Amino acid sequence: MEFFLVVSICFFLGLIFHSVQSDIPTNEEHASIPPRGWNTYDSFCWTVSEEEFLQSAEIVSHRLKAQGYQYVVVDYLWYRQKVPGAYVDSLGFDVIDEWGRMIPDPGRWPSSKGGKGFSEIANKVHSMGLKFGIHVMRGISTQAVNANTPILDTTKGGAYEESGQVWHAKDIGVKERACAWMTHGFMSVNTKLGAGRAFLRSLYEQYAEWGVDFVKHDCVFGDDLDINEITYVSEVLKELNRPILYSLSPGTSVTPAMAKDVSGLVNMYRITGDDWDSWRDVAAHFDVTRDFSTANMIGAKGLLGKSWPDLDMLPLGWLTDPGSNEGPHRHCNLNLDEQRTQMTLWSMAKSPLMFGGDVRKLDQATYDIITNPTLLEINSFSSNNIEFPFITSIKSLKSEDQVLALKSWRCQRDLRKSDTTLLDLIGCTDSKAIGWSFKTLDQDMEQICWRRSSGIKHQTSLCLRKRVPRLASDEETIYNKEYQGKHHLLATDRMDFCLDASPRKKLTSKEFNRDSFSPCRWDANQMWELNPNGTLVNSYSGLCATDGSVKANINSGGIRSWVATGRKGEIYIAFFNLNAQKMVISTKTSDLARVLPDRNLNWNSCKCIEVWSGKDIEITQETISLAVEIHGTALFVLNCS
Ligand SMILES: *[C@@H]1O[C@H](CO)[C@@H](O)[C@H](O)[C@H]1NC(C)=O
């Protein structure tokens, strides 16, 4: 009788609950608008401490929360001890628990002592009115596999047993599927095994217990796709009581076709490699962003809500260098026009906005860009966002304008050399990849040189010094097994810097330049092999290096435009000038009408403002037209009655 009563009450409550649940307003869904926040990577690399993080979170809550910057995210390697010898792909410096799970390095995160993990930090972040995020890697760490730790079964609270056996890390780690950009750090787990799934579950349940609101899952997407792990993690997150946003990173070589298989499982996913503060990186986002909007991926169905193609963090303000073992120490290399272009494209494409600069040194110019109310309104609430092809341009004739603009806008540095392409990466079967050979200077120094093709004016040959990576004795066996015949290529003027196929960007744009050299380390991105046919192949991507002047420069191509509509009927039009000269860009209202939902606008009634200058713009002869600075943007807001 009692039992029956309880059951029927439960049933009744269940009904009420059910009807309440189905009424959940849309703002309860995950990522109903593109997530926004701050991430440690661009300013601290991996070296951030608890004190620095909480100090920064405090500033985010005072200065940026009101503008929707809500998530504060600890990027990679929070479990790595900051001691000599530890770097991105070093092995053996991580702190793991008895179940092989990563736990915060108590040296850098003192509040984690005594098994508390990130819970105290999450509490503090929550008390600031913010949400707490962490970066996690694919699968399981090599360190846990080497230690062969048992797997935790969270459903019963002890070691995972199946078929009369206790399962261990070695049973589930897939050595052949090491993370390509951190080969010594992490590998996939076999999700076909109950123990493999139990291990992943034990990770994410722990993150939820700590109070994590956001996970950035690395090395499972793009070139490193592991659809099984994404699918299973998504399933676990769906069942948790705690809402956790699910983000994938990076997204090297991602296409809409690949993303369609995962967008429903996650809330945001990168569509490029890492973005840093070079014009080349900004410009490399235009094509891929257009492709994703055309494929209707912006705000598509995601995990318990929506999902957003992610153009990566905003590396503005006070920064560090990719892959360096140090914190912020330099200004952004983008000039003001380039920064506005980045913010405008990111907003028009509704990318998540994660600020990457050091908020403790957030200058007014950077602050104004990342908190521009019109841009943030567009980023959160615009619709019908699409690249708009019907634009024309002519060179702006006021050349003195150009010179002045260049002089005044260049931030911190004079004209950067990095716009000059040194090398590109292309497929090794392409004959344009042939042209590398050994050149011996003396016994100790062998170089690999590029013989420039005859049609090209600058005949200076390009040579890189060859060296076997410096190995500790225990690393020699691994080197002989994995990298036999491969070498580091050093910059001639900076001997401790090696040619890196991904300027520590896990392969960004497939081009590189002077910034392509980063501190030498053990990493597939820095391993190169000269083939007998004169091609130079990179171990990470299997792509080959070629002279940058051979391939058309992505930046040389012209002008771009995006349109979108606002929630109060506004029309947003952005012009982008990717050229190295000032251009007057124009569009006709009749062409705009082709892509707008309301085709019968009374254009004469429109009030038009350009956002960055704050100027009123007149629509004359049914044309919207404006001179746009080098690498700059113009953003029009039209209010038509
Ligand atoms: C050069 O040799 C490599 C390795 O044998 C091969 O993969 C590549 O296709 C060759 N490239 C050309 C252009 O012949």
Side-chain angles (χ1 to χ4, degrees):
M1 179 60 192
E2 236 174 50
F3 173 74
F4 176 75
L5 199 69
V6 170
V7 168
S8 47
I9 287 173
C10 286
F11 180 66
F12 181 58
L13 284 176
L15 272 181
I16 295 177
F17 209 77
H18 187 79
S19 64
V20 168
Q21 268 191 334
S22 59
D23 281 349
I24 284 175
T26 45
N27 63 11
E28 293 264 330
E29 67 176 1
H30 282 30
S32 60
I33 57 174
R36 192 174 293 162
W38 174 73
N39 175 302
T40 56
Y41 179 65
D42 290 348
S43 45
F44 289 97
C45 188
W46 63 276
T47 62
V48 69
S49 69
E50 176 166 339
E51 194 187 352
E52 289 163 331
F53 181 75
L54 288 175
Q55 213 179 11
S56 303
E58 195 71 52
I59 296 166
V60 171
S61 90
H62 289 140
R63 297 195 68 193
L64 295 169
K65 187 175 72 182
Q67 287 81 12
Y69 289 85
Q70 194 186 9
Y71 290 89
V72 287
V73 182
V74 181
D75 213 274
Y76 70 164
L77 305 182
W78 36 266
Y79 32 81
R80 187 148 301 170
Q81 298 167 72
K82 197 178 162 193
V83 292
Y87 57 92
V88 173
D89 200 17
S90 56
L91 173 60
F93 296 95
D94 295 341
V95 187
I96 59 175
D97 71 3
E98 55 178 322
W99 306 107
R101 300 180 294 183
M102 318 311 296
I103 50 175
D105 162 32
R108 284 191 291 140
W109 306 94
S111 79
S112 69
K113 284 179 192 155
K116 288 197 294 249
F118 272 129
S119 45
E120 288 207 1
I121 291 158
N123 274 342
K124 286 186 182 155
V125 165
H126 294 152
S127 71
M128 297 172 197
L130 298 172
K131 297 192 178 208
F132 178 61
I134 56 171
H135 174 287
V136 298
M137 289 294 294
R138 82 153 53 176
I140 188 166
S141 69
T142 311
Q143 210 174 310
V145 171
N146 289 348
N148 204 23
T149 46
I151 309 296
L152 172 64
D153 182 347
T154 57
T155 60
K156 61 180 190 52
Y160 184 87
E161 285 178 52
E162 197 188 310
S163 321
Q165 142 195 14
V166 171
W167 290 68
H168 291 85
K170 281 196 173 135
D171 304 321
I172 62 161
V174 187
K175 285 212 161 93
E176 307 74 59
R177 304 214 48 212
C179 170
W181 67 266
M182 202 196 279
T183 47
H184 301 98
F186 288 83
M187 65 185 79
S188 286
V189 300
N190 186 346
T191 55
K192 294 206 176 70
L193 299 172
R197 294 194 298 274
F199 178 73
L200 291 174
R201 177 172 290 277
S202 76
L203 298 179
Y204 289 84
E205 288 188 356
Q206 183 174 56
Y207 303 147
E209 278 163 29
W210 285 346
V212 166
D213 306 294
F214 179 102
V215 287
K216 175 178 173 182
H217 196 182
D218 202 312
C219 215
V220 288
F221 193 43
D223 283 344
D224 309 295
L225 185 67
D226 187 337
I227 189 81
N228 295 329
E229 184 164 333
I230 297 171
T231 308
Y232 188 67
V233 168
S234 179
E235 228 169 84
V236 172
L237 292 179
K238 205 174 194 166
E239 291 166 12
L240 293 174
N241 291 325
R242 187 172 189 84
I244 297 185
L245 250 53
Y246 189 20
S247 159
L248 303 182
S249 166
T252 315
S253 320
V254 167
T255 59
M258 180 197 284
K260 277 194 167 135
D261 293 336
V262 299
S263 64
L265 303 171
V266 304
N267 301 109
M268 53 191 265
Y269 51 94
R270 290 268 301 280
I271 59 172
T272 62
D274 286 7
D275 174 76
W276 277 88
D277 53 327
S278 77
W279 170 246
R280 177 172 296 279
D281 278 9
V282 176
H285 283 76
F286 280 87
D287 284 349
V288 65
T289 306
R290 172 200 58 210
D291 296 345
F292 274 78
S293 74
T294 312
N296 287 320
M297 304 294 282
I298 297 175
K301 192 183 165 317
L303 170 65
L304 299 173
K306 290 187 175 165
S307 67
W308 307 92
D310 175 11
L311 275 57
D312 200 9
M313 273 100 71
L314 298 167
L316 310 178
W318 190 242
L319 304 170
T320 187
D321 286 308
S324 67
N325 282 356
E326 54 179 327
H329 57 269
R330 67 173 181 89
H331 280 286
C332 168
N333 278 325
L334 297 172
N335 68 39
L336 188 59
D337 285 310
E338 292 166 341
Q339 297 185 31
R340 288 173 167 178
T341 291
Q342 175 160 30
M343 184 69 186
T344 308
L345 178 65
W346 266 234
S347 299
M348 289 296 280
K350 304 194 77 168
S351 169
L353 297 178
M354 294 287 173
F355 180 59
D358 183 350
V359 289
R360 300 168 309 173
K361 289 190 76 169
L362 182 52
D363 60 285
Q364 194 61 39
T366 307
Y367 180 81
D368 290 346
I369 287 178
I370 65 170
T371 60
N372 181 299
T374 310
L375 274 290
L376 295 182
E377 166 74 22
I378 294 172
N379 179 247
S380 293
F381 302 113
S382 60
S383 39
N384 302 302
N385 311 59
I386 194 123
E387 191 179 270
F388 173 68
F390 307 108
I391 48 169
T392 56
S393 67
I394 51 164
K395 281 179 205 168
S396 172
L397 293 176
K398 286 193 223 148
S399 57
E400 67 275 18
D401 278 358
Q402 281 178 36
V403 176
L404 279 178
L406 267 175
K407 282 198 178 139
S408 61
W409 292 138
R410 287 286 160 190
C411 91
Q412 309 311 326
R413 307 217 168 164
D414 47 1
L415 283 174
R416 294 183 318 283
K417 297 190 191 87
S418 62
D419 283 345
T420 331
T421 307
L422 192 62
L423 293 170
D424 278 339
L425 285 176
I426 57 173
C428 297
T429 52
D430 195 320
S431 62
K432 292 193 197 84
I434 296 178
W436 295 94
S437 57
F438 284 124
K439 189 167 149 195
T440 311
L441 285 188
D442 58 53
Q443 270 174 313
D444 299 330
M445 184 157 162
E446 200 170 20
Q447 294 187 313
I448 292 185
C449 297
W450 174 255
R451 195 184 49 240
R452 300 214 172 200
S453 44
S454 51
I456 293 162
K457 279 183 209 145
H458 316 286
Q459 284 292 340
T460 50
S461 75
L462 163 71
C463 289
L464 299 163
R465 188 178 165 181
K466 182 191 122 183
R467 189 177 75 189
V468 167
R470 299 208 164 126
L471 305 171
S473 55
D474 58 328
E475 291 172 335
E476 264 170 48
T477 3
I478 311 178
Y479 175 79
N480 290 337
K481 200 167 132 229
E482 286 179 33
Y483 295 124
Q484 182 91 97
K486 300 178 181 173
H487 18 253
H488 272 159
L489 296 173
L490 295 106
T492 37
D493 51 345
R494 295 177 81 176
M495 295 300 264
D496 52 342
F497 272 57
C498 284
L499 182 64
D500 196 319
S502 74
R504 291 317 305 149
K505 300 172 182 187
K506 311 158 201 174
L507 253 182
T508 302
S509 52
K510 292 200 167 152
E511 288 83 13
F512 38 160
N513 51 37
R514 286 192 177 281
D515 300 332
S516 305
F517 293 91
S518 51
C520 297
R521 58 173 70 77
W522 251 71
D523 187 309
N525 272 310
Q526 292 190 350
M527 298 293 179
W528 301 87
E529 185 174 11
L530 183 65
N531 287 321
N533 61 9
T535 57
L536 182 62
V537 60
N538 174 252
S539 303
Y540 175 86
S541 60
L543 292 170
C544 277
T546 183
D547 184 332
S549 54
V550 169
K551 211 172 88 174
N553 184 341
I554 48 155
N555 305 348
S556 63
I559 49 168
R560 297 297 178 97
S561 174
W562 274 69
V563 298
T565 54
R567 36 176 185 175
K568 297 193 196 98
E570 306 93 325
I571 299 167
Y572 303 114
I573 306 161
F575 289 164
F576 300 99
N577 179 13
L578 310 194
N579 292 288
Q581 53 192 329
K582 191 169 173 176
M583 305 292 279
V584 177
I585 305 179
S586 311
T587 186
K588 294 223 159 293
T589 53
S590 54
D591 286 327
L592 277 169
R594 296 204 227 173
V595 299
L596 293 172
D598 176 6
R599 281 151 200 261
N600 301 312
L601 273 176
N602 175 13
W603 293 95
N604 294 327
S605 74
C606 301
K607 189 172 161 2
C608 176
I609 289 182
E610 198 286 312
V611 173
W612 293 114
S613 62
K615 283 190 184 140
D616 288 328
I617 305 289
E618 226 187 310
I619 304 177
T620 46
Q621 298 182 330
E622 288 160 357
T623 300
I624 300 171
S625 189
L626 201 67
V628 182
E629 299 294 342
I630 297 166
H631 300 173
T633 184
L635 173 62
F636 306 99
V637 180
L638 274 71
N639 279 292
C640 313
S641 57

